[in-house]
Structure formats: C-alpha cells, structure tokens
Amino acid sequence: MMHDAPGEPTIRNDDEQDVRDVPDANAASDPRPEARLERAVRAAEQALIEFEIALETFRIEVDNFSRLHHQRLGPMYARLDELDALIAEARASRSGDPEDLRKAREARAMVQPMPGVEELFHDWLDSDGLSPEASAMLTDRPVRPPKRVRPSDEARRIYRDLVRKSHPDLAQDDGERSRREEFLTRVNSAYGRGDEALLLELAAEWAAGPVPRPAELSESEELYARLEWLSQRKEALTLVAQELEQGAIGAMLRMAPDDPDRLLEEIAEQLLAEVSGREAELAKLVE
C-alpha cells in the first residue's frame, strides 16, 4: 500500500520501492550546484510514476468490478425490488389501509422498467453488430462467464514494467512525449482487458523501438518548474484517487482488496438468500 501524507488515499502498489532509499552513486562525486536539485526531480518523477501505476491499476479494478457487479448482481437487485413491490401490494390488498396502499405505490415506483434492447446491449455492440455474448443470449446458447475482476499477476507485472519505461513524463521533447502517450494508451487498453499476450507484444515493441536520448543537463529554473509541475500533478491524481476510493464500488473493493472476485460471490450468495426469503414471505401473503 502507498502511505502518503495524512489525508491522502492509500492506493495499492504491490512492489513499491521508496525512492529515498535508493543509493545514488554520483551523489557525493557530482560537483554541480544543481546536482542535489536534479536528484530531487528524478526522485519525484519516479515517485509520481509509481503513484500513477497504482492509481491506474486501482481504476481498472474499480471499472471491472463495477461492470461485473452490474452484470452478475443487477438481475438479483431487480428481483428484490419486484418482490418488495409484490409484497407491499399483497399487504395493501389484504388490509385496504391507506398507509399500506401508499407504501405499495412507493415500492412499485422503485421497480426499474425493463431496459430496451439498445440499453441492454450497449456494451456488447461492435462494428459487426452484436458481440458473441449478446448473440448467445438471444439464441439461448451458453454465454461465456464474466472475466475476472483483476488481470493476472503476470499481466500486472508486465504492465508496471512497461509504464515505468514508457511513461510520458520521462520524455525530453514534445515528439517523444506524443510517442509515449500513444504507446501508453495501448498499454492501458491491453491491461484493462487483461490481455497478457498483447502486453508481451507491446513489451517487445518498446524494446525494439528508438532509444530515448540521454537526459540533458537542466538549469536550476527548469528544475524548480519541473518540481512544481510534479507537485501539482500529484495533487490532481490524489483527488482522482479519493473519488475512486470513496465511491460505492471502491468501498466494496476495500472490503476484499486481495480477492474481489470472491467478494462478488459472497454478495451473490447474500442476495440469493434475500430473494428466497422474500419469495417465502410473498407466498404466505397470497395463500
């Protein structure tokens, strides 16, 4: 876990290394007056990259968990709402009490209408029409089970290594920054899908690409400006991290940070038990 200043979020980082603990072989021998400031800038750059890696990893886990939560548990929540409405309506029908009738209307209003085809399959449409999963549902063929919430450990390792090497903040000019931004976009996309094979291809592509030119000596004013930019960037990322962690899905992930897939199973079991209880209650009311 990353432990920042008080009040900052704690985003997972499985192999974080404190840059302050890394020995600098040139620290004692570099006579330049800017040397200490330059070392601080390099350390801040690496710390920011590590923070961004941890943040992007958590964002992908939140996105995947949110998708699977809706896909797996959405129908159960809808069934519970429908049962609550039916139970309230049965009670109102039996008693005729105005308060029971009001509660029945409120419960029915909570039931979400069935989505249309476009809304139902908005994530399953591609350039060729319906995806295989959507087509399978329409033809009653078996549907592939949902993917895991988190990419594999190897995919995570490759991803972190690629981000450290290709991060745009390490660019020395606008052209190199654009190349790195385009490459990192593809890396993030592959990681978000858990595509380990594509990540390996991207690692090979980066290794075969142009070698970045050595960093040029910076003037003191440029180094101070760089430190200021890094500080502002860290503040902006901290706000994004706080929003992720304080959201409903982020809060769920904090309950089981090491096994979010199992958390989905536990929630599903609880909802099934609630559905069974509501169905038994309704059966007694309509006897």
Side-chain angles (χ1 to χ4, degrees):
M1 302 288 290
M2 296 184 66
H3 299 284
D4 298 296
E8 290 191 349
T10 53
I11 298 294
R12 290 177 58 85
N13 187 352
D14 296 335
D15 59 353
E16 179 186 7
Q17 181 179 27
D18 191 336
V19 293
R20 294 171 299 180
D21 296 334
V22 178
D24 189 343
N26 299 319
S29 59
D30 194 337
R32 293 180 299 113
E34 301 86 0
R36 183 176 180 181
L37 181 58
E38 187 174 10
R39 290 195 298 273
V41 169
R42 300 295 171 254
E45 286 176 342
Q46 291 302 315
L48 180 63
I49 289 173
E50 294 298 326
F51 187 79
E52 289 199 51
I53 290 173
L55 177 57
E56 180 64 15
T57 298
F58 186 66
R59 185 193 65 76
I60 287 172
E61 290 180 5
V62 167
D63 287 348
N64 287 347
F65 190 90
S66 178
R67 174 179 57 83
L68 295 184
H69 181 272
H70 177 74
Q71 178 181 342
R72 175 76 185 277
L73 306 181
M76 298 184 190
Y77 287 122
R79 178 60 177 162
L80 282 172
D81 287 343
E82 176 66 23
L83 287 168
D84 285 339
L86 291 173
I87 289 170
E89 289 165 351
R91 286 174 177 163
S93 178
R94 275 191 169 192
S95 69
D97 184 274
E99 180 64 14
D100 287 342
L101 292 170
R102 182 189 65 80
K103 291 180 179 179
R105 288 194 298 270
E106 290 181 353
R108 177 55 60 185
M110 293 295 294
V111 177
Q112 295 294 323
M114 287 298 294
V117 173
E118 290 186 1
E119 182 182 355
L120 185 62
F121 294 117
H122 74 282
D123 286 332
W124 292 345
L125 293 172
D126 54 31
S127 58
D128 297 323
L130 290 178
S131 69
E133 289 84 356
S135 297
M137 288 189 68
L138 292 177
T139 57
D140 295 327
R141 288 187 285 108
V143 181
R144 290 182 305 181
K147 294 182 180 178
R148 297 177 69 249
V149 172
R150 180 180 298 174
S152 67
D153 290 342
E154 180 63 10
R156 289 160 65 85
R157 183 194 66 77
I158 299 169
Y159 169 76
R160 289 193 295 266
D161 185 58
L162 278 174
V163 174
R164 292 187 184 108
K165 292 177 179 177
S166 65
H167 200 282
D169 287 350
L170 299 178
Q172 300 299 313
D173 55 58
D174 291 342
E176 176 64 11
R177 171 174 285 274
S178 296
R179 182 179 81 89
R180 287 170 175 263
E181 288 175 345
E182 185 276 333
F183 181 79
L184 196 56
T185 296
R186 290 190 285 147
V187 170
N188 287 337
S189 177
Y191 180 66
R193 298 192 304 272
D195 194 335
E196 186 176 321
L198 180 55
L199 286 171
L200 286 171
E201 292 179 10
L202 290 169
E205 176 184 330
W206 182 260
V211 178
R213 67 182 184 181
E216 298 177 358
L217 180 64
S218 301
E219 297 292 333
S220 296
E221 294 80 6
E222 294 177 347
L223 290 170
Y224 277 118
R226 180 64 173 165
L227 276 177
E228 179 64 21
W229 182 89
L230 290 167
S231 176
Q232 293 174 357
R233 175 68 173 162
K234 177 65 179 301
E235 290 178 3
L237 290 175
T238 297
L239 292 177
V240 174
Q242 288 174 342
E243 291 179 0
L244 285 173
E245 290 198 327
Q246 293 171 4
I249 298 298
M252 286 185 185
L253 281 174
R254 289 202 304 273
M255 295 169 59
D258 297 321
D259 194 0
D261 304 279
R262 177 55 190 163
L263 178 59
L264 276 177
E265 297 294 332
E266 292 176 355
I267 296 175
E269 292 171 3
Q270 294 172 5
L271 291 177
L272 283 173
E274 291 184 31
V275 167
S276 297
R278 299 284 210 291
E279 289 175 339
E281 183 179 355
L282 179 62
K284 292 179 180 179
L285 287 170
V286 299
E287 284 179 350

